[in-house]
Amino acid sequence: MTTVRVLVAGDEATGKSSLITSLVKDTFVTNKIQSVLPTITLPNDIHTPDEVTSTVVVDTSALPQERNTLRKEARKCNVILLVYSDNYSYERVALFWMPYFRSLGVNVPVVLCANKADLAPKTSTAQVVADEMLPVMAEFKEIDSCIRTSAKEHKNIVETLFLCQKAVTHPIAPLFDSKESQLKPAAVAALQRIFYLSDKDQDGFLDDSELMAFQNKCFGKPLVDNDFSSLKDAIRKADASAPSPEGISEKDFLLLNKIYAEKGRHETIWIILRTFHYTDNLSLIPSFVSPPLSIPTNSSAELSPAGYRFFMDLFLRSDKDSDGGLNPAELTSLFAPTPGLPSSWSDAGFPSTTVQNEAGHVTLQGWLAQWSMTTLLTPAVTLSYLAYLGYEDIPKPSTTSTSSTLGPTISKPNTTSALRVTPPRKRHKSRPTERTVLHAYLLGAPLSGKSSLLSAFLSRTPSQTYTPTLHPQQAVNSVELPGGKQVHLILEELGVLTAPAVLENLAKVSASDLVVQVYDSSDPDSFQNILSLQASYPHLKSHPTLYAALKADRDLMTQRTDIQPDALAKAQNLQAPLHVSALWPASVQELCVAIADLALRPGGGVARGDEQVEAERRRQEGQIYWVAAAVGGVATMVGGWMFWRRWSASGGER
């Protein structure tokens, strides 16, 4: 919403005060009025569009002694209404007024007004525009529009106010370069994104049905057959080779908007831009790209069914060769309306982080898994890309506006409906969580097989060449649990350079669902690393943990430690280490199911001594005892009541 402050300027006796009075009184005032009117704030019911909260009109004097006041008001206004009424005052527009405003550093639009049209009844408006206004507009690009008025005949008075308001709410300067007669680069980029989002079948053309949907979305009313013909004729007049029989191309769409700008219909372009949530500087509205999302402590964000459906539909539309995977060209096209791949994806080496087909292209399963991981780890990134990619969950535009000229009232979008916030996780409770996206860290010595496990998790053949993992590596895939429930599991190997910082950060460790501590079962020195980690970071013992003995396809070796892995797990009342080989898909699947199952039980997987286990057993037995006692008490009361009823019914006799 905008407050429009209009500065009315021009030579003396050009009718500035009469214009203002005629606007306020809705008629020409014949009585003598003061030379400079006081500042007037127009009521909202006087020809005010929805975008404008109030309009302030400031009258000024051209006298030299009033120049200081003029200077102050010029620097406070949003738009200047520059009035002339004869040849002398017209010449002063170019010789004095426009250079003067430039010297003040005033960068606001100017509406040029030729007043007192009643004194030249034989001169047509078209002639005035061609002979007087267009030459000045060509010289001074800050002149937004022009109009011919008569306060005496009450001609174009309201229209003049509308042009001033429109110059503020729908400025031409950010959209069109009059000198080059071209749309500006920022406007082109925004319109290209809008075209992409409106091309639902991604064939490069807006067919009639897509144009109809676009029209309804932006203007709240359908196109009729004549409207289709008029649009295409306008394009054909500017480019004889267009439009194509398939529909309006991106080039045609940009050409059509260029025509709107050239003909002074830039409010049409602004209606389109604002429907797609652009600001006056042609960036997306910050609250649209980064909406507030409250995630309580121990809760997490996941995609909702609507979010999964959006990303699934986006994948299917973008898979133009229908091979079940997104190749690099298709990914480039898909991310065209965005700043590009999320930086976190690029840093992690996408698409190697998720499921790919034999050609190395991201599958639908991998696509959904990748967004599930992004939403859990960085929900703000998912929300911003939902906005870039065109997700909206908003009511339909309303056409009940009092100013239908400015298009439908656009409701605020709600991209947060594509996400859901899980209930807080309580580790001391045994009841399973409602999470469907789980995150586990992989800890272990170098060469213990962590990277190979990640490859096997994504059904890829592990590399035979060892490369140290310096930075975190992630892999995400879906896991089916017994009973048919599916979850997305994120396995993250901490890099050598980043592991200490992560493990020292209690909040980061606590945010994960599980820590999988692995060792090479064929290397007798591998398990020592786990003991060292637990000694260096004691809080790991209070975090859900699962042990895994990797490289199980090799000969099992006794570990050179004071306590063997099985004995340590038993002492901590944890599950014995699972024996896994990246070359045995079934063992990898078993491990992933065990990780997911344990992560869903917040109270499970935490190391406990025998005393803690015994105390927990007694607590549970105590709960059972009190429940049984309560049930027994209720049963006794019910039995007594039934006995009393029967005794009463028999008259109190035995």
Side-chain angles (χ1 to χ4, degrees):
M1 304 295 281
T2 306
T3 296
V4 175
R5 190 177 182 90
V6 184
L7 177 75
V8 184
D11 284 356
E12 295 297 300
T14 54
K16 302 187 296 296
S17 300
S18 295
L19 277 174
I20 298 172
T21 306
S22 184
L23 172 67
V24 175
K25 299 292 186 181
D26 205 26
T27 186
F28 180 64
V29 178
T30 57
N31 298 332
K32 185 177 180 180
I33 57 177
Q34 61 194 91
S35 58
V36 179
L37 297 173
T39 299
I40 298 170
T41 300
L42 299 179
N44 284 348
D45 58 350
I46 297 185
H47 316 293
T48 302
D50 289 341
E51 290 91 341
V52 178
T53 54
S54 64
T55 303
V56 179
V57 180
V58 182
D59 194 9
T60 61
S61 171
L63 297 176
Q65 58 267 31
E66 298 295 333
R67 200 60 50 81
N68 190 46
T69 301
L70 175 62
R71 185 184 304 111
K72 290 179 180 178
E73 291 296 341
R75 286 172 173 159
K76 292 194 295 184
C77 71
N78 303 112
V79 58
I80 297 172
L81 177 62
L82 184 55
V83 184
Y84 72 92
S85 61
D86 52 27
N87 286 336
Y88 175 75
S89 57
Y90 167 71
E91 294 293 338
R92 292 256 300 165
V93 168
L95 294 176
F96 171 73
W97 286 107
M98 294 306 299
Y100 174 70
F101 290 132
R102 284 184 173 181
S103 71
L104 296 179
V106 175
N107 186 25
V108 296
V110 176
V111 175
L112 188 61
C113 175
N115 195 25
K116 301 187 179 182
D118 53 286
L119 299 181
K122 294 183 180 180
T123 306
S124 68
T125 299
Q127 184 178 349
V128 172
V129 170
D131 294 345
E132 298 177 4
M133 295 178 170
L134 289 181
V136 179
M137 293 180 72
E139 183 178 355
F140 300 97
K141 303 306 178 185
E142 53 266 55
I143 298 179
D144 181 89
S145 55
C146 57
I147 192 168
R148 194 180 186 212
T149 63
S150 170
K152 184 176 183 179
E153 297 177 348
H154 201 68
K155 177 182 178 181
N156 287 340
I157 303 302
V158 173
E159 289 77 4
T160 301
L161 174 66
F162 176 75
L163 285 178
C164 292
Q165 293 169 329
K166 190 183 74 169
V168 176
T169 60
H170 302 86
I172 185 65
L175 303 178
F176 192 68
D177 186 332
S178 302
K179 184 177 181 180
E180 300 294 334
S181 190
Q182 295 291 336
L183 292 169
K184 290 188 175 180
V188 170
L191 291 169
Q192 286 175 328
R193 175 178 174 272
I194 290 170
F195 178 88
Y196 175 93
L197 296 178
S198 303
D199 181 16
K200 299 300 184 182
D201 58 8
Q202 293 296 293
D203 65 347
F205 296 93
L206 297 183
D207 58 28
D208 287 354
S209 64
E210 290 168 336
L211 279 174
M212 180 69 78
F214 176 80
Q215 171 76 12
N216 276 319
K217 179 181 177 71
C218 295
F219 303 98
K221 57 183 180 181
L223 289 169
V224 297
D225 291 341
N226 289 340
D227 295 330
F228 285 115
S229 300
S230 298
L231 283 175
K232 294 174 182 178
D233 288 344
I235 295 170
R236 193 174 294 111
K237 187 175 180 181
D239 183 355
S241 63
S244 166
E246 288 88 347
I248 293 178
S249 67
E250 181 186 283
K251 177 184 175 183
D252 301 335
F253 184 71
L254 294 175
L255 177 60
L256 187 61
N257 282 278
K258 176 175 177 284
I259 294 170
Y260 289 149
E262 290 173 332
K263 292 187 175 182
R265 292 180 56 191
H266 42 279
E267 72 274 11
T268 301
I269 304 176
W270 277 115
I271 291 172
I272 294 170
L273 289 168
R274 286 173 180 156
T275 300
F276 285 84
H277 318 297
Y278 280 92
T279 64
D280 289 349
N281 61 7
L282 297 181
S283 62
L284 287 172
I285 298 172
S287 61
F288 176 56
V289 178
S290 303
L293 180 68
S294 177
I295 304 177
T297 304
N298 295 326
S299 293
S300 63
E302 299 179 357
L303 289 175
S304 67
Y308 277 116
R309 184 165 56 250
F310 172 78
F311 283 118
M312 182 173 68
D313 291 344
L314 185 63
F315 178 96
L316 296 175
R317 288 200 309 269
S318 302
D319 183 17
K320 296 177 182 178
D321 55 10
S322 301
D323 67 344
L326 296 180
N327 59 44
E330 290 168 340
L331 279 172
T332 300
S333 175
L334 188 155
F335 282 100
T338 76
L341 279 180
S343 58
S344 58
W345 291 24
S346 301
D347 294 343
F350 175 83
S352 64
T353 54
T354 192
V355 183
Q356 301 168 266
N357 60 20
E358 293 180 355
H361 303 157
V362 181
T363 64
L364 176 59
Q365 178 184 348
W367 174 251
L368 296 179
Q370 183 73 24
W371 280 113
S372 296
M373 176 169 67
T374 304
T375 305
L376 179 74
L377 301 181
T378 51
V381 172
T382 298
L383 286 173
S384 64
Y385 274 79
L386 284 165
Y388 293 135
L389 293 167
Y391 176 89
E392 291 183 16
D393 181 20
I394 58 175
K396 292 183 179 179
S398 168
T399 55
T400 57
S401 166
T402 56
S403 178
S404 59
T405 312
L406 294 176
T409 301
I410 305 301
S411 302
K412 291 184 178 179
N414 180 22
T415 54
T416 56
S417 65
L419 272 62
R420 76 178 190 97
V421 177
T422 64
R425 175 182 55 197
K426 298 179 180 179
R427 296 213 185 272
H428 64 279
K429 299 290 186 180
S430 57
R431 185 173 58 186
T433 69
E434 298 179 17
R435 300 188 179 203
T436 60
V437 185
L438 308 169
H439 180 210
Y441 285 124
L442 290 181
L443 303 181
L447 285 168
S448 59
K450 300 185 296 296
S451 299
S452 295
L453 178 61
L454 294 184
S455 296
F457 178 48
L458 299 176
S459 301
R460 290 200 283 268
T461 303
S463 172
Q464 299 300 315
T465 304
Y466 172 70
T467 303
T469 303
L470 301 180
H471 300 283
Q473 284 191 347
Q474 297 167 334
V476 59
N477 201 349
S478 58
V479 175
E480 184 173 344
L481 300 175
K485 178 180 178 178
Q486 280 204 342
V487 297
H488 282 108
L489 176 61
I490 304 164
L491 295 181
E492 182 171 355
E493 176 187 0
L494 297 179
V496 174
L497 300 179
T498 57
V502 173
L503 295 177
E504 289 170 0
N505 190 327
L506 184 59
K508 279 198 170 186
V509 174
S510 298
S512 68
D513 296 284
L514 193 71
V515 169
V516 184
Q517 301 190 41
V518 304
Y519 64 98
D520 179 357
S521 60
S522 66
D523 179 359
D525 298 315
S526 184
F527 190 67
Q528 181 59 50
N529 180 268
I530 289 179
L531 298 179
S532 299
L533 285 174
Q534 293 183 1
S536 300
Y537 308 103
H539 54 269
L540 288 178
K541 294 181 181 179
S542 60
H543 195 70
T545 300
L546 183 69
Y547 293 116
L550 303 185
K551 302 186 182 180
D553 55 299
R554 302 182 182 181
D555 292 338
L556 178 65
M557 300 291 290
T558 301
Q559 297 296 307
R560 296 194 187 105
T561 53
D562 294 336
I563 186 170
Q564 292 301 299
D566 290 59
L568 177 64
K570 184 176 181 180
Q572 295 175 339
N573 286 282
L574 297 178
Q575 180 179 344
L578 293 176
H579 290 260
V580 180
S581 170
L583 303 179
W584 299 344
S587 69
V588 175
Q589 177 66 17
E590 180 186 1
L591 173 64
C592 294
V593 169
I595 293 172
D597 180 65
L598 195 58
L600 288 172
R601 294 185 284 114
V606 178
R608 294 173 296 174
D610 292 338
E611 293 181 358
Q612 291 174 297
V613 173
E614 180 63 22
E616 177 68 16
R617 184 185 64 79
R618 290 177 179 174
R619 186 182 66 82
Q620 292 178 353
E621 287 179 351
Q623 289 178 342
I624 295 173
Y625 169 79
W626 285 112
V627 169
V631 171
V634 171
T636 301
M637 292 174 63
V638 171
W641 178 76
M642 292 180 65
F643 176 79
W644 177 82
R645 285 288 304 272
R646 291 176 181 174
W647 182 78
S648 298
S650 63
E653 297 178 357
R654 296 185 62 86

